[in-house]
Amino acid sequence: MASAAAPAQAGGVVAAPEYEEVLGRLSSLITQKVRAHSGNRGNQWDLMAHYLKILELEEPIARMKVIHVAGTKGKGSTCTFTESILRSSGFHTGLFTSPHLMDVRERFRLDGVDISEEKFLKYFWWCWNKLKEKTDDDIPMPAYFRFLALLAFKIFSAEQVDVAVLEVGLGGKFDATNVVEAPVVCGVSSLGFDHMEILGNTLGEIAGEKAGIFKKGIPAYTAPQPEEAMVALKKRASELGISLQVADPLEPYHLKGQHLGLHGEHQYINAGLAVALASTWLEKQGQMDRIPINRTDPLPDHFIQGLSNASLQGRAQIVPDSQINSGVNKDSSLVFYLDGAHSPESMEICAKWFSHVTNDDRRIPSSTEQSQSSKSRKILLFNCMSVRDPMRLLPHLLDVSTQNGVFFDVALFVPNQSQYNKLGSNTSAPAEPEQIDLSWQLSLQTVWEKLLQDKGTNSANSSDSSQVFASLPLAVEWLRKDARENQSTSFQVLVTGSLHLVGDVLRLIKK
């Protein structure tokens, strides 16, 4: 158990020294190579077979009933919906997703709950010690994501789940999760441009990589796709002699007046794919009486319950800042709208969602006396990883927001707190401002200012329309100070561009 003197863990919980040690060991597996480096790809993929042998996982994986999902956008949501439907149907479920936002244990859910610290430590050491003992220069320790995938297989086999829902990390063909040779069903969520430095420059190339999870004799479903992507998916399916079926998006009437647990119009697409995957899995288990009979009637109750109870942090999530929205400050309001969008298409979806929910907020009169005079300030808090092209992200965000009547009063650019390569709870930005390289954030600011200029909406003084902060805590403190000083204004902060940034913000405001 954690002692009182133990360091605070991500998410504000106290972490035991042993847990800190484990996070340190995991951090040591994060390769410093650029993700596009060939060493991260297929030429080392055959090492996975060695790792499975060392961990005695070949048999357990062969026996495991797996639902395998690849895609660019919505694969985590699709997996979450699928797991929730099957859990509502009474099955013992395992769910493996990535990345995590506050704690690595979020990646491993048993029956809808993050794995306990005690179980996590037990299975971690089991895998770590076996691999340490048997790896050498020829077969090095697995890289970070591969280790986590192996750990997931160990957890789900040892916990004897009825079904394991696995989200592909990157691509498909050479992903660590693709050691599953006979899943029950495969799915591909919406495809778009992402990780192009690894997966290819055209939608066809990207789709070809994702279709690498298809297997002979295994049913496959896809969300509706752009023509070029669909052609590539169908080509791979026909090479394997399998039918690829398109799962239609759900309609509100399918849910009998209930709302999806994950917000945003696009979630009807992910929910439609999840219904197809869960139905196929149930059918394969001989549970024909529990699946939807046709697409025209409302769904069975256990499907609706699963879809409406699904939850996933950092996707269209609204979190009021408890420091500002409580006690003496009940008239001030600072609310964070968090969405880990990081591709051009998801930027558009994110902008639509933010516009929709903040416009709705405006229509709901507040109970305070000041509601007549209250104003709202829209603020963008943004960062993206330097492998992404801000010219593919920021214009989509700005255009769709503007079309929906949302204009940002100011945009704030910050480095991620976690800097991607630290896992422990002591993770923080360097103490000395001069140690922090803000060149990337300054270039994001330049792109933003240029976009505003082209639209003719920027002020004469750019410091009014955007700012760069040396750290996220400084930006949040600045926002809190502004909210305290302007009590009749509601501050609506859209946090997007990076799931890591979203996780960092959650960690800060939930402390």
Side-chain angles (χ1 to χ4, degrees):
M1 286 301 294
S3 68
Q9 181 201 325
V13 189
V14 171
E18 184 189 358
Y19 192 69
E20 280 298 325
E21 184 189 344
V22 162
L23 295 180
R25 303 242 175 152
L26 268 177
S27 294
S28 74
L29 301 177
I30 296 174
T31 171
Q32 296 309 313
K33 290 187 193 121
V34 178
R35 283 164 142 190
H37 189 284
S38 62
N40 282 1
R41 205 167 176 222
N43 62 358
Q44 282 200 323
W45 198 76
D46 55 344
L47 288 178
M48 283 300 289
H50 294 286
Y51 300 140
L52 295 179
K53 200 174 247 107
I54 292 168
L55 296 174
E56 300 157 26
L57 282 171
E58 300 120 312
E59 267 299 297
I61 289 175
R63 284 197 306 269
M64 204 178 284
K65 295 190 171 90
V66 168
I67 294 175
H68 201 190
V69 182
T72 307
K73 313 180 298 279
K75 60 185 188 290
S77 300
T78 300
C79 287
T80 301
F81 279 134
T82 306
E83 181 277 335
S84 192
I85 291 169
L86 294 175
R87 180 160 37 93
S88 293
S89 306
F91 293 97
H92 175 28
T93 60
L95 173 64
F96 177 59
T97 56
S98 59
H100 62 273
L101 297 186
M102 294 191 286
D103 189 316
V104 71
R105 291 180 296 117
E106 295 163 28
R107 295 171 182 250
F108 314 90
R109 285 200 200 178
L110 293 166
D111 297 324
V113 180
D114 300 351
I115 189 171
S116 70
E117 194 172 301
E118 182 189 0
K119 282 184 177 176
F120 178 79
L121 292 172
K122 178 174 91 173
Y123 294 126
F124 172 86
W125 288 121
W126 192 92
C127 293
W128 181 269
N129 293 335
K130 269 193 174 338
L131 286 164
K132 267 293 179 204
E133 190 188 322
K134 296 276 174 65
T135 48
D136 52 29
D137 290 348
D138 291 336
I139 301 176
M141 279 293 277
Y144 175 65
F145 183 77
R146 288 183 182 178
F147 182 90
L148 294 176
L150 293 162
L151 180 54
F153 289 125
K154 176 62 188 171
I155 290 168
F156 297 153
S157 59
E159 293 290 320
Q160 300 183 328
V161 299
D162 297 322
V163 56
V165 182
L166 304 180
E167 178 193 353
V168 166
L170 189 61
K173 187 176 183 182
F174 295 116
D175 189 71
T177 59
N178 205 31
V179 295
V180 176
E181 288 174 9
V184 174
V185 59
C186 294
V188 178
S189 67
S190 304
L191 294 173
F193 293 102
D194 196 14
H195 300 298
M196 292 157 66
E197 75 282 9
I198 302 171
L199 302 179
N201 293 312
T202 68
L203 263 185
E205 284 173 27
I206 290 169
E209 277 291 322
K210 309 282 185 184
I213 68 166
F214 292 170
K215 307 286 186 299
K216 207 172 183 57
I218 307 298
Y221 288 86
T222 176
Q225 303 289 2
E227 183 63 23
E228 188 188 346
M230 194 60 93
V231 167
L233 293 177
K234 283 185 172 159
K235 177 172 180 285
R236 183 64 192 136
S238 74
E239 286 166 5
L240 291 166
I242 57 174
S243 71
L244 174 66
Q245 298 186 57
V246 177
D248 294 325
L250 282 194
E251 301 288 343
Y253 75 83
H254 284 125
L255 299 166
K256 295 185 189 165
Q258 295 284 335
H259 291 287
L260 291 172
L262 307 180
H263 304 289
E265 283 300 300
H266 61 293
Q267 293 295 0
Y268 285 96
I269 297 172
N270 300 326
L273 179 56
V275 165
L277 296 174
S279 300
T280 304
W281 191 88
L282 286 165
E283 186 186 325
K284 296 271 182 187
Q285 309 316 307
Q287 307 249 347
M288 296 295 295
D289 55 327
R290 311 198 59 191
I291 61 177
I293 298 163
N294 56 48
R295 294 295 305 208
T296 51
D297 293 336
L299 291 164
D301 287 349
H302 51 279
F303 272 72
I304 295 173
Q305 187 187 342
L307 291 166
S308 59
N309 289 342
S311 71
L312 189 59
Q313 291 202 100
R315 276 62 162 201
Q317 184 180 7
I318 303 173
V319 183
D321 183 2
S322 55
Q323 272 203 24
I324 297 299
N325 306 336
S326 64
V328 286
N329 293 313
K330 58 178 178 290
D331 291 333
S332 353
S333 120
L334 172 58
V335 179
F336 291 88
Y337 296 78
L338 303 136
D339 192 81
H342 52 267
S343 70
E345 299 86 355
S346 56
M347 277 287 135
E348 293 187 5
I349 289 165
C350 169
K352 273 185 199 152
W353 164 71
F354 180 68
S355 308
H356 180 71
V357 288
T358 53
N359 286 336
D360 274 0
D361 289 351
R362 216 172 35 223
R363 287 196 287 270
I364 301 165
S366 138
S367 58
T368 63
E369 305 280 306
Q370 296 171 317
S371 63
Q372 301 316 309
S373 63
S374 71
K375 307 183 291 291
S376 78
R377 267 172 76 75
K378 305 272 193 292
I379 295 158
L380 174 65
L381 181 58
F382 188 91
N383 192 35
C384 62
M385 288 170 68
S386 53
V387 291
R388 309 208 186 278
D389 177 1
M391 281 308 296
R392 295 180 63 84
L393 302 180
L394 289 169
H396 290 273
L397 181 68
L398 190 60
D399 290 346
V400 174
S401 301
T402 309
Q403 285 157 20
N404 285 278
V406 164
F407 301 90
F408 291 102
D409 294 280
V410 64
L412 313 179
F413 299 97
V414 294
N416 287 356
Q417 182 90 339
S418 52
Q419 293 303 333
Y420 193 63
N421 62 348
K422 292 271 178 33
L423 288 161
S425 57
N426 306 326
T427 303
S428 61
E432 300 303 315
E434 61 269 21
Q435 286 179 269
I436 303 168
D437 177 9
L438 292 172
S439 52
W440 176 246
Q441 283 67 37
L442 290 163
S443 63
L444 294 175
Q445 181 185 33
T446 305
V447 169
W448 182 256
E449 289 298 332
K450 173 83 171 69
L451 291 170
L452 292 181
Q453 201 176 341
D454 293 346
K455 280 190 171 295
T457 55
N458 69 332
S459 57
N461 181 358
S462 71
S463 70
D464 293 343
S465 54
S466 65
Q467 286 197 50
V468 170
F469 284 90
S471 77
L472 179 61
L474 288 174
V476 170
E477 206 31 68
W478 182 83
L479 287 166
R480 285 172 170 165
K481 182 170 178 284
D482 218 1
R484 286 186 192 106
E485 288 171 2
N486 298 279
Q487 302 232 340
S488 61
T489 303
S490 80
F491 290 81
Q492 299 168 322
V493 185
L494 174 61
V495 182
T496 191
S498 153
L499 269 167
H500 300 288
L501 176 65
V502 165
D504 293 339
V505 170
L506 277 172
R507 205 178 280 132
L508 264 181
I509 61 181
K510 287 193 166 182
K511 269 186 181 165

